């Protein structure tokens, strides 16, 4: 026969296991909700400036040997580009596909990414990009074609840009290293 103390210990042990499982589940879900970039394959909700880019790509694909256009999951991202705590829009042509032309949207220089902030769409040819915090600035760092750094395609080259909300433009500088 189990004593009252042993029964209480077993019950307490079960409750602790349940709470640990619940806590793990909450941490997992909150991590997915708060830290993962928002992505979408459904482009029907895109702002007009980005929808126009998708429409042009679909039209170019259709005009090239009657190709079928597709957009991959993850081609649309929502990320804070300017540090105002509001998620901005990014449309990456690396997620575009055309059945009749494998390289219709990308080439050796990379693919276009279209960044929408405050209803302004600015595009950058790149081979990948990320957003980093640097002091008070939110910086978009992009891997770009080596010709931008007085080289050729495999020459390492990056650009770092910050959004100037007053001028509604991206600011970048090619530093003069000595």
């Amino acid at each position: 026969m189990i004593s009252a103390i042993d029964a209480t210990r077993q019950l307490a042990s079960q409750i602790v296991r349940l709470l640990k499982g619940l806590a793990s589940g909450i941490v997992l879900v909150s991590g997915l909700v708060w830290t993962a970039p928002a992505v979408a394959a459904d482009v029907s909700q895109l702002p007009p400036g980005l929808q126009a880019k998708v429409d042009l790509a679909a039209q170019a694909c259709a005009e090239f040997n009657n190709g079928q256009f597709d957009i991959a999951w993850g081609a649309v991202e929502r990320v804070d580009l300017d540090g105002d705590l509001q998620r901005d829009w990014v449309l990456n042509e690396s997620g575009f596909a055309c059945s009749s032309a494998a390289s219709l949207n990308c080439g050796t220089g990379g693919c276009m990414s279209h960044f929408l902030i405050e209803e302004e769409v600015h595009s950058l040819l790149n081979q990948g990009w990320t957003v980093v915090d640097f002091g008070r600035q939110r910086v978009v760092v992009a891997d770009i074609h080596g010709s931008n750094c007085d080289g050729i395609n495999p020459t390492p080259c990056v650009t770092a840009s910050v959004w100037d909300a007053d001028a509604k433009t991206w600011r970048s500088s090619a530093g003069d290293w000595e």
Side-chain angles (χ1 to χ4, degrees):
M1 182 163 215
I2 297 177
S3 72
I5 293 174
D6 288 336
T8 303
R9 284 184 185 151
Q10 287 178 352
L11 181 59
S13 177
Q14 290 174 346
I15 290 172
V16 168
R17 277 196 306 270
L18 287 172
L19 289 175
K20 283 182 180 178
L22 179 62
S24 296
I26 290 170
V27 168
L28 176 64
V29 170
S30 67
L32 294 173
V33 170
W34 296 108
T35 61
V39 294
D42 179 12
V43 296
S44 65
Q45 300 300 315
L46 280 177
L50 295 181
Q51 186 62 54
K53 301 290 186 184
V54 171
D55 294 344
L56 282 172
Q59 179 182 350
C61 178
E63 291 173 357
F64 191 85
N65 294 330
N66 201 29
Q68 297 297 310
F69 178 76
D70 191 25
I71 187 165
W73 186 264
V76 177
E77 296 183 60
R78 300 293 311 272
V79 61
D80 181 11
L81 297 169
D82 56 358
D84 66 356
L85 304 179
Q86 302 296 316
R87 294 185 308 163
D88 303 295
W89 293 84
V90 182
L91 175 64
N92 298 297
E93 289 191 12
S94 60
F96 290 7
C98 180
S99 64
S100 59
S103 61
L104 186 62
N105 301 106
C106 301
T108 60
C111 306
M112 293 298 286
S113 291
H114 309 284
F115 301 86
L116 181 125
I117 299 178
E118 302 175 18
E119 305 307 315
E120 297 282 328
V121 176
H122 295 265
S123 303
L124 179 67
L125 181 65
N126 68 87
Q127 299 171 351
W129 62 271
T130 191
V131 179
V132 298
D133 290 316
F134 185 73
R136 298 176 313 159
Q137 301 294 330
R138 195 85 169 138
V139 182
V140 174
V141 179
D143 181 3
I144 57 176
H145 195 277
S147 62
N148 292 291
C149 293
D150 298 323
I152 58 174
N153 187 25
T155 303
C157 188
V158 298
T159 185
S161 306
V162 295
W163 179 251
D164 182 338
D166 294 333
K168 296 195 182 307
T169 191
W170 288 98
R171 302 275 185 202
S172 302
S173 173
D176 293 325
W177 289 79
E178 292 184 22

